[in-house]
Amino acid sequence: MGGSRVQVNKTHKSRFSSKSTRNLHKTSLKDKSRIAKSDRNVAKGARAVRIQRNKMLREQKRAALLKEKRASSGSSSPPRVIVLFGLSASVNLDSLAEDLLKLLSPEGGGHVSSTVASSEYKLRATVLKAPHGDLLSCMEMVKVADLIAFVASASEENDSDYIDSFGSQCLSVFRSLGLPSTAVFIRDLPIELKRKNDSKKMCISRLASEFPEDCKFYPADAKDELHKFLWLFKEQRLTLPHWRNQRPYLMSQKVDMVADEVNSGNCTLLLTGYLHGRSLSVNQLVHVSGAGDFQLHKIEILRDPFPLNPRKEVDAMDSDDLLVVEVVHSIHPDSLTQEPLLVENVPDPLAGEQTWPTEAEMAEADKNRKQRRPKKRIPRGTSEYQAAWIVDDTDEEDSDSGSDDDGMVLDETESYGPAAEGSDNSELDDDQASLDLRYSDEETENDSVMMESENLTREQIEEEIKEIKEAHAEDEEFPDEVETPLDVPARKRFAKFRGLKSFRTSSWDPKESLPPEYARIFAFDNFAKTQKHVFAKALEMDQDNRDECISAGQYARLHIKEVPTAVASKLCADAKTLPIITCGLLQHESKMSVLHFSIKKHDTYDAPIKAKEELVFHVGFRQFVARPIFSTDNINSDKNKMERFLHAGRFSIASIYAPICFPPLPLIALKHLGGVAAPTVAAVGSLRSIDPDRIILKKIILTGYPQRVSKLKATVRYMFHNPEDVRWFKPVEVWTKCGRRGRIKEPVGTHGMIFTLSKLILKEITSNFYHIEQIYG
């Protein structure tokens, strides 16, 4: 028998098949011991290296943790900022803040300032009370908070609602800003033990989903309960938002101003407080919240008024005013290395200068100039490529004489018009309201600015709001669709728009037809590489302990020069209700560029947000007023479609002109409703990128109604209103909502309201609209 039933014997299991082969591989005992010892040494050495490396990594982590702990809770660290925020209007924050300050005050004595130093707890803290109902003050306090203590009232009348509408809104804003370490204080608990535990459990079950998982709940009625919290808080490792750890910032405890003798309109602003975050150089630029970017005149290092060990500073606590202390050291900037306050670029008009033409070229240019046709009336800022598309009166006469030449040429060579940021920022409603082509460039002036200067009645304001809401609903249902005007030819009305073969694959030059003013902004050759270099330079300055720098934790007074007197007076008045924050700017962060934010409409804001509507942008520590334009985020193409409104439920890209900021940074967009009403949160998001060359295109769709539909052609009406417009748009492809495509063949009738389509593959149902799509940047 054969096949799979053939007997297979086992192989020999020994290492050598015979004694002779074993003798060939036999080694002497000396060589054997030497080889074995070498193997053991190699293994032992590798294991020792591995153990040593692991030990070194553990020591490095332990040293970094110890350094972080000393920096956050040591004698040289700044006071920890505790912000008390009431989740409802019924919470009494005054009594809670008073109890905390009494515990932290030395020997339980009275406290003069909100900052105290406790030798018992080995802790320095600043206790701030967030005013309920004041959104701006709450946001400014949370930006500098090391711990947000949310306070809930467990009284019987608040059992059903621990958080009111303002508390919910602030919670969502705090999450967008980046929550630091959090804790929840439960006040007004019953005295009876069983009822107290039940109320506490009910409050925790209602609020646990609103806060992070590591957030702890503390009863805060008795002194012993607050004592327990402070001991835990002292040993707690604080977690701060990443964007705050990258910059130095100072929360002012005192704000003064000194008049400038040379310039009466400016003054020197004095801000006193503890420095947080990283080291601050006197040669750096600083940003004062609510004021802008400035240079430093000098920095004075003051004696710490709240030392942890009062025996070393005997006279520090005896002063009547704790904030008036002596100057230990002064640092002055170096005029050679101080960063200039540069906002806009100064373009060189000769940067694009060409070589001088030859005599033959000049003669040919003169000959062409003489043979050139009369100059057309074109809008200001239009390129030669765009001007070739505009039909003047002579062209209309030629077209009426029976010429069959197309007035509009499809971009077969894929050469296109201007880019988004430099051309026209007008919206579709503005375009429809201003039909005269001569004034098309004036459409960039915002109608909202003009309307604010007029004295509108209540009925006019309500009518305007109604029109905006109707436009928002129409844009959401029929995006990009516009009507062709009756009194203006479509070839003039939409002269700035171009037909694209493909929105995704067609090329578009972002540098074409930009206005000269666009050269005043700054651009990066490689933004990612620049950002990495700037952060590395800031980290090196923080670790070098340079002479021109003050380290975090020092008590200092910043002398900020050339601040407008009106702005400084307002800051002195605002310092009584909210902290004035000063942050050090990184390199390039004072220069203007085009910033793009990933933005989403806030859930509590119901009104429509129109493009170029005035919003207050809070980006990290900075705040400024801007009018953004919205666009889609197209990851498959280098071109992005402009949006007229910020629609709810999805993210869009908001583009503005603003000072350069390095991400990651959070964004809170506020909207002023007018009058004395407080601003409300309109949108939230984060900084996405900085790119002046991002292409944003305005897209429109002209709609017609099919009159007759056959197998190979169709008749469409009401898309155009004269034959010249039909011939002008003849090269552009027409499509239906179901995806069928065709070409305009010819106008039908004398009025030009009807034209025929050819090359339709299949018959369409007559209820479908026929569209023609155009793009403009």
Side-chain angles (χ1 to χ4, degrees):
M1 297 178 65
S4 61
R5 299 182 181 274
V6 176
Q7 179 180 350
V8 178
N9 298 325
K10 294 181 179 180
T11 58
H12 201 278
K13 292 183 179 181
S14 64
R15 186 177 179 185
F16 306 105
S17 58
S18 62
K19 291 183 178 181
S20 60
T21 56
R22 182 178 61 186
N23 292 331
L24 290 175
H25 293 82
K26 184 181 292 187
T27 57
S28 63
L29 293 176
K30 182 178 180 181
D31 294 339
K32 188 175 181 180
S33 61
R34 182 177 56 83
I35 294 174
K37 185 176 181 181
S38 176
D39 292 340
R40 284 197 302 269
N41 288 339
V42 170
K44 186 177 180 181
R47 182 171 179 269
V49 170
R50 187 171 63 253
I51 292 174
Q52 182 66 22
R53 184 177 65 252
N54 294 338
K55 181 181 178 181
M56 184 175 60
L57 291 177
R58 285 195 303 270
E59 289 178 353
Q60 290 178 354
K61 290 182 179 179
R62 188 181 295 110
L65 185 61
L66 184 60
K67 181 180 178 181
E68 180 183 355
K69 185 176 180 180
R70 288 174 178 174
S72 61
S73 61
S75 59
S76 61
S77 63
R80 294 189 174 189
V81 181
I82 304 175
V83 175
L84 303 179
F85 179 79
L87 294 175
S88 62
S90 61
V91 175
N92 186 8
L93 296 180
D94 295 333
S95 60
L96 178 59
E98 187 177 355
D99 294 341
L100 284 173
L101 291 174
K102 281 184 179 179
L103 283 176
L104 291 171
S105 298
E107 299 179 359
H111 52 277
V112 179
S113 172
S114 59
T115 301
V116 291
S118 174
S119 57
E120 178 185 359
Y121 297 100
K122 301 296 182 183
L123 177 67
R124 295 193 297 178
T126 300
V127 181
L128 301 177
K129 296 174 292 185
H132 195 274
D134 190 351
L135 179 61
L136 291 177
S137 298
C138 294
M139 288 175 55
E140 293 300 312
M141 290 182 182
V142 168
K143 288 179 183 179
V144 296
D146 295 321
L147 174 75
I148 304 180
F150 297 95
V151 187
S153 177
S155 59
E156 296 180 357
E157 57 270 14
N158 292 333
D159 284 347
S160 58
D161 189 11
Y162 294 101
I163 307 179
D164 57 9
S165 59
F166 180 76
S168 300
Q169 184 187 36
C170 287
L171 267 176
S172 62
V173 172
F174 297 164
R175 294 191 196 99
S176 301
L177 285 173
L179 278 176
S181 300
T182 56
V184 179
F185 288 162
I186 305 176
R187 300 274 287 181
D188 303 329
L189 289 170
I191 300 176
E192 186 182 351
L193 183 59
K194 186 176 184 306
R195 291 179 56 199
K196 180 178 180 179
N197 291 334
D198 294 341
S199 299
K200 179 182 174 183
K201 289 180 181 179
M202 182 180 296
C203 183
I204 293 175
S205 63
R206 295 276 186 87
L207 299 177
S209 60
E210 300 288 342
F211 301 100
E213 296 180 355
D214 58 346
C215 181
K216 295 184 179 181
F217 293 77
Y218 301 93
D221 286 324
K223 180 179 178 181
D224 295 339
E225 295 169 343
L226 293 176
H227 178 74
K228 177 182 178 181
F229 160 74
L230 288 176
W231 275 110
L232 295 176
F233 175 62
K234 170 202 167 184
E235 301 295 335
Q236 182 180 358
R237 182 185 179 186
L238 300 178
T239 57
L240 300 177
H242 181 61
W243 62 271
R244 274 172 51 182
N245 293 329
Q246 295 176 337
R247 293 168 176 83
Y249 62 95
L250 182 141
M251 185 188 69
S252 61
Q253 295 182 348
K254 187 178 181 181
V255 180
D256 290 323
M257 54 183 292
V258 178
D260 192 348
E261 298 178 357
V262 179
N263 191 348
S264 59
N266 294 338
C267 66
T268 301
L269 185 66
L270 307 181
L271 300 176
T272 307
Y274 288 94
L275 185 66
H276 297 255
R278 289 188 171 179
S279 299
L280 175 66
S281 173
V282 72
N283 296 319
Q284 272 184 276
L285 297 177
V286 294
H287 175 81
V288 182
S289 59
D293 303 338
F294 303 98
Q295 285 182 324
L296 288 173
H297 177 63
K298 66 176 179 178
I299 298 178
E300 293 178 342
I301 301 177
L302 309 178
R303 190 172 62 174
D304 196 342
F306 305 102
L308 273 179
N309 191 355
R311 289 175 297 181
K312 295 181 180 180
E313 302 283 348
V314 179
D315 299 331
M317 306 302 293
D318 297 336
S319 177
D320 294 334
D321 189 356
L322 294 177
L323 299 182
V324 178
V325 291
E326 64 180 22
V327 177
V328 177
H329 182 56
S330 296
I331 305 176
H332 295 270
D334 186 2
S335 59
L336 298 178
T337 59
Q338 187 176 21
E339 189 170 353
L341 186 58
L342 186 60
V343 179
E344 295 180 353
N345 184 26
V346 180
D348 184 6
L350 302 179
E353 185 181 8
Q354 303 295 326
T355 56
W356 191 258
T358 61
E359 295 183 359
E361 292 175 345
M362 295 178 66
E364 185 179 357
D366 293 335
K367 182 180 179 181
N368 294 335
R369 191 184 304 110
K370 293 178 181 179
Q371 297 177 356
R372 187 176 298 173
R373 298 174 60 185
K375 189 176 181 181
K376 303 178 183 179
R377 294 187 63 181
I378 59 176
R380 186 177 61 230
T382 306
S383 64
E384 294 182 2
Y385 174 77
Q386 294 172 326
W389 289 52
I390 300 176
V391 180
D392 56 5
D393 298 334
T394 58
D395 292 339
E396 293 184 13
E397 294 175 1
D398 295 339
S399 62
D400 293 339
S401 63
S403 176
D404 293 335
D405 296 338
D406 296 334
M408 182 177 184
V409 181
L410 187 65
D411 279 329
E412 297 292 343
T413 58
E414 297 185 355
S415 177
Y416 306 101
E421 287 83 357
S423 301
D424 185 17
N425 295 330
S426 59
E427 301 161 313
L428 300 181
D429 287 347
D430 301 335
D431 292 336
Q432 292 173 353
S434 171
L435 298 178
D436 194 347
L437 189 65
R438 293 173 296 176
Y439 306 103
S440 58
D441 277 341
E442 301 299 330
E443 297 169 5
T444 56
E445 298 181 2
N446 295 282
D447 293 341
S448 58
V449 177
M450 298 171 61
M451 296 299 288
E452 289 173 0
S453 61
E454 301 176 0
N455 296 324
L456 301 179
T457 61
R458 184 178 181 86
E459 291 77 10
Q460 290 175 335
I461 295 176
E462 292 178 354
E463 185 66 24
E464 184 181 359
I465 294 174
K466 182 180 178 181
E467 291 178 358
I468 293 176
K469 289 184 178 180
E470 290 176 355
H472 177 267
E474 182 181 357
D475 182 71
E476 195 169 7
E477 186 176 1
F478 304 104
D480 309 323
E481 294 188 10
V482 298
E483 295 181 0
T484 307
L486 295 174
D487 53 346
V488 177
R491 61 185 183 278
K492 287 188 176 181
R493 173 64 187 84
F494 306 114
K496 290 186 177 181
F497 290 84
R498 303 290 176 263
L500 286 186
K501 293 176 61 178
S502 173
F503 190 85
R504 183 178 63 87
T505 60
S506 297
S507 62
W508 193 292
D509 185 9
K511 302 292 187 182
E512 182 182 354
S513 300
L514 293 177
E517 292 78 11
Y518 205 69
R520 293 160 58 187
I521 64 174
F522 290 86
F524 295 98
D525 293 335
N526 190 335
F527 178 71
K529 185 176 180 180
T530 303
Q531 180 180 358
K532 184 178 179 181
H533 171 72
V534 169
F535 282 144
K537 184 178 179 181
L539 181 61
E540 180 183 358
M541 184 180 68
D542 183 51
Q543 294 176 350
D544 287 350
N545 296 324
R546 300 178 183 176
D547 296 335
E548 72 271 10
C549 298
I550 61 170
S551 58
Q554 288 185 318
Y555 191 72
R557 181 188 294 130
L558 306 182
H559 293 249
I560 303 173
K561 63 181 182 180
E562 297 180 359
V563 180
T565 305
V567 175
S569 302
K570 186 178 182 301
L571 291 177
C572 293
D574 293 342
K576 300 176 182 178
T577 57
L578 73 157
I580 304 300
I581 306 172
T582 304
C583 70
L585 297 180
L586 301 176
Q587 190 180 10
H588 309 303
E589 282 198 329
S590 66
K591 303 172 183 177
M592 296 292 292
S593 187
V594 181
L595 275 62
H596 306 284
F597 296 88
S598 179
I599 192 172
K600 182 180 180 181
K601 193 173 181 180
H602 198 259
D603 297 335
T604 60
Y605 193 79
D606 299 329
I609 303 177
K610 195 177 181 181
K612 292 187 292 181
E613 191 171 350
E614 186 176 283
L615 298 175
V616 181
F617 276 57
H618 286 254
V619 184
F621 290 115
R622 310 177 87 158
Q623 51 181 289
F624 42 80
V625 179
R627 296 178 178 270
I629 60 172
F630 305 118
S631 61
T632 58
D633 186 14
N634 194 350
I635 61 176
N636 296 324
S637 174
D638 61 340
K639 295 174 286 297
N640 306 274
K641 185 176 76 70
M642 180 180 174
E643 294 182 331
R644 297 172 57 197
F645 292 90
L646 180 62
H647 297 289
R650 58 187 174 91
F651 279 92
S652 296
I653 301 297
S655 303
I656 62 172
Y657 291 104
I660 292 173
C661 304
F662 290 103
L665 283 175
L667 165 66
I668 305 294
L670 303 182
K671 172 65 179 175
H672 286 280
L673 301 179
V676 296
T680 181
V681 182
V684 297
S686 60
L687 179 59
R688 183 72 172 272
S689 63
I690 300 174
D691 185 13
D693 294 335
R694 189 176 190 269
I695 302 174
I696 302 176
L697 305 179
K698 186 187 295 184
K699 173 183 173 183
I700 64 169
I701 297 176
L702 305 181
T703 305
Y705 298 86
Q707 189 178 22
R708 295 186 183 89
V709 180
S710 61
K711 188 173 182 179
L712 295 179
K713 64 181 181 178
T715 304
V716 180
R717 67 186 307 173
Y718 299 134
M719 183 180 290
F720 305 109
H721 303 296
N722 55 70
E724 289 77 12
D725 288 343
V726 176
R727 297 188 186 98
W728 177 266
F729 289 95
K730 191 174 181 180
V732 184
E733 194 175 36
V734 183
W735 54 277
T736 68
K737 287 187 175 181
C738 292
R740 303 292 184 259
R741 296 183 177 271
R743 294 284 185 179
I744 298 176
K745 188 175 181 182
E746 60 182 354
V748 179
T750 59
H751 297 288
M753 299 178 64
I754 306 174
F755 62 90
T756 58
L757 287 170
S758 63
K759 299 181 181 178
L760 284 175
I761 300 176
L762 294 175
K763 183 176 180 181
E764 289 287 338
I765 58 175
T766 57
S767 61
N768 285 341
F769 294 152
Y770 288 77
H771 306 280
I772 183 170
E773 181 179 323
Q774 285 193 295
I775 305 297
Y776 169 65

